[in-house]
Amino acid sequence: MAAASSTYLTKLLFLLVTLSGAPPLATALSFGINYGQIANNLPSPSRVSVLLRSLNITRVKLYNADPHVLTAFSNSGVDFIIGLGNEYLVNITDPVKAQDWIEQHVQPFIGWTGISCIVVGNEVFNTNNTQLMSYLLPAMQTVYTTLSNLGMEKQVTVTSAHTLNILGNSYPPSAGDFRQDLVGYIKPLLDFHSQIKSPFLVNAYPFFAYMYNPNEVPLDYVLFQPNPGMTDPKTNLHYDNMLFAQIDAIYSAIQALGHSDIVVRISETGWPSRGDPNEAGATPENARLYNGNLLQRIEQRQGTPAKPNVPINGYVFALFNENLKPGPVSERNYGLYYPDGTPVYDLGFQGYLPELVSAASCERVLYPMVLLVLVVYSMICPQ
């Protein structure tokens, strides 16, 4: 009875949020969002859950398994990818520690919050740490085995995320191959992906290609704007944007190692709205064009030239600007929103972030509404 009462109260509190001024749900958006938290000025997870609900964004990628976030999104219909950071890889190869982590960070939320994927490690092959690289596959295997032992392997898949630096060659796309020094790690990793049927995740940023070579890389080509594009001389496939060419280069590299049964997904992509003077192209207008044009392609369920029947599936980086991220100015300016909930630039949709209100405002505005909720609650759940 206590659980049922809690459910009624939760629904009533959602009603309270609606009555307090939240707009109706937007048309469903197909893209996912990266919810980074390296900042000291972000809204609470409960306020963020209302923002994403107002946008009807139903896919979120975390870089950890923050229980405050997962709790705040309980019963929200949002599907989460959660992260198990590089710092865990050594210990997580131990089955006991792997089970401990899953029982603490995953199992309590199943049934309340959708968790469909665990990303084990992030950009491990970009670290030049061969010991860490050697732990990646065993860690993934241990996590998967633990999920299987707990009966959760069909509900939660296991993967990792990689940068494009794993490629030795990416042009033309048909010549894509993995760096020779990484093949010994990546080949068994691909075998594992094939075995458990999990996607290969890539963090792809055409921004970097343009930033480093602004005189050679056409801006329209990286921004999905009209341009002549390029034709792959081997396949005769035409590319009108760099991101699709990068993804097909990954497909070619995977195929070169004997696999045509692994789907490539975009775990991160985006464009900064600000940068240092030497970061060419980091402007609000270019960020608006890149993300806006990309989202149109995702909404249209486009595939790449080499995989036209496999709609691109991407997570935009990122939800908010993160003021504590180290590195150049661009690192702190990838967000679609400022922490106060205002858009950094106009992408054609408007979200709603509940305001923080003072105690006086609460008493004046919310107190009568809370009384209404309590009255209705007492009628539904009489003592």
Side-chain angles (χ1 to χ4, degrees):
M1 182 62 184
S5 299
S6 174
T7 302
Y8 282 126
L9 187 56
T10 299
K11 290 179 178 177
L12 288 169
L13 288 174
F14 266 121
L15 174 63
L16 181 62
V17 168
T18 303
L19 291 173
S20 66
L25 293 179
T27 302
L29 297 173
S30 301
F31 67 94
I33 195 81
N34 282 272
Y35 179 8
Q37 298 167 281
I38 306 177
N40 62 6
N41 59 354
L42 297 182
S44 67
S46 59
R47 294 173 68 210
V48 174
S49 71
V50 175
L51 172 63
L52 294 187
R53 180 178 167 82
S54 73
L55 292 167
N56 211 6
I57 291 176
T58 58
R59 295 188 298 127
V60 175
K61 179 168 162 282
L62 288 179
Y63 291 87
N64 51 33
D66 187 338
H68 298 100
V69 174
L70 296 175
T71 300
F73 279 83
S74 178
N75 294 313
S76 66
V78 171
D79 177 78
F80 276 92
I81 291 178
I82 61 173
L84 197 160
N86 295 349
E87 68 273 17
Y88 290 96
L89 294 189
V90 176
N91 286 335
I92 216 72
T93 57
D94 179 338
V96 174
K97 291 177 179 176
Q99 181 158 334
D100 249 12
W101 190 89
I102 290 170
E103 287 180 342
Q104 182 180 347
H105 295 93
V106 181
Q107 208 167 25
F109 303 99
I110 295 296
W112 301 96
T113 303
I115 298 174
S116 63
C117 181
I118 300 173
V119 177
V120 179
N122 185 55
E123 301 183 351
V124 170
F125 296 125
N126 209 36
T127 64
N128 295 320
N129 183 335
T130 54
Q131 186 178 36
L132 197 62
M133 294 178 194
S134 69
Y135 284 124
L136 178 58
L137 178 57
M140 292 171 65
Q141 290 170 325
T142 306
V143 170
Y144 179 77
T145 299
T146 304
L147 289 169
S148 298
N149 292 341
L150 295 171
M152 299 164 60
E153 80 283 2
K154 291 191 184 339
Q155 188 170 357
V156 184
T157 193
V158 178
T159 186
S160 189
H162 313 281
T163 69
L164 288 172
N165 289 343
I166 60 175
L167 291 177
N169 185 49
S170 62
Y171 183 86
S174 62
D177 61 11
F178 292 114
R179 282 168 33 196
Q180 283 306 302
D181 62 311
L182 297 180
V183 168
Y185 299 105
I186 293 178
K187 176 62 169 71
L189 192 68
L190 293 175
D191 294 341
F192 180 65
H193 278 293
S194 176
Q195 173 196 336
I196 68 171
K197 301 184 181 352
S198 69
F200 190 89
L201 301 186
V202 179
N203 299 338
Y205 289 89
F207 165 71
F208 293 123
Y210 177 77
M211 183 190 76
Y212 291 124
N213 298 286
N215 296 322
E216 298 177 21
V217 176
L219 184 58
D220 286 341
Y221 182 61
V222 292
L223 293 179
F224 300 91
Q225 290 290 90
N227 70 95
M230 60 82 64
T231 299
D232 189 309
K234 180 179 177 183
T235 62
N236 209 34
L237 294 174
H238 184 261
Y239 291 84
D240 66 358
N241 71 85
M242 179 175 283
L243 180 66
F244 284 19
Q246 291 174 334
I247 300 308
D248 278 353
I250 292 285
Y251 272 119
S252 295
I254 291 173
Q255 190 164 4
L257 291 184
H259 286 285
S260 57
D261 57 344
I262 297 171
V263 175
V264 176
R265 300 296 188 200
I266 303 166
S267 44
E268 285 183 25
T269 192
W271 196 285
S273 57
R274 286 183 58 211
D276 287 316
N278 64 342
E279 294 187 286
T283 68
E285 177 60 11
N286 287 343
R288 183 187 70 80
L289 287 171
Y290 180 83
N291 285 322
N293 289 333
L294 170 64
L295 298 186
Q296 283 185 14
R297 304 280 181 125
I298 292 175
E299 293 294 324
Q300 293 164 4
R301 298 182 59 79
Q302 283 192 11
T304 65
K307 298 284 184 179
N309 297 321
V310 181
I312 55 167
N313 184 314
Y315 286 76
V316 172
F317 186 86
L319 181 55
F320 295 111
N321 283 345
E322 297 171 72
N323 67 343
L324 296 184
K325 289 200 74 176
V329 168
S330 62
E331 286 295 314
R332 294 175 288 284
N333 289 278
Y334 274 91
L336 302 186
Y337 287 88
Y338 293 110
D340 67 0
T342 58
V344 177
Y345 42 84
D346 182 15
L347 277 177
F349 49 81
Q350 204 63 27
Y352 171 81
L353 182 70
E355 292 183 8
L356 284 174
V357 292
S358 66
S361 296
C362 281
E363 187 174 346
R364 185 177 67 254
V365 178
L366 293 182
Y367 184 65
M369 299 177 72
V370 170
L371 281 179
L372 173 62
V373 167
L374 291 175
V375 169
V376 176
Y377 179 68
S378 66
M379 293 170 65
I380 295 173
C381 304
Q383 297 299 320

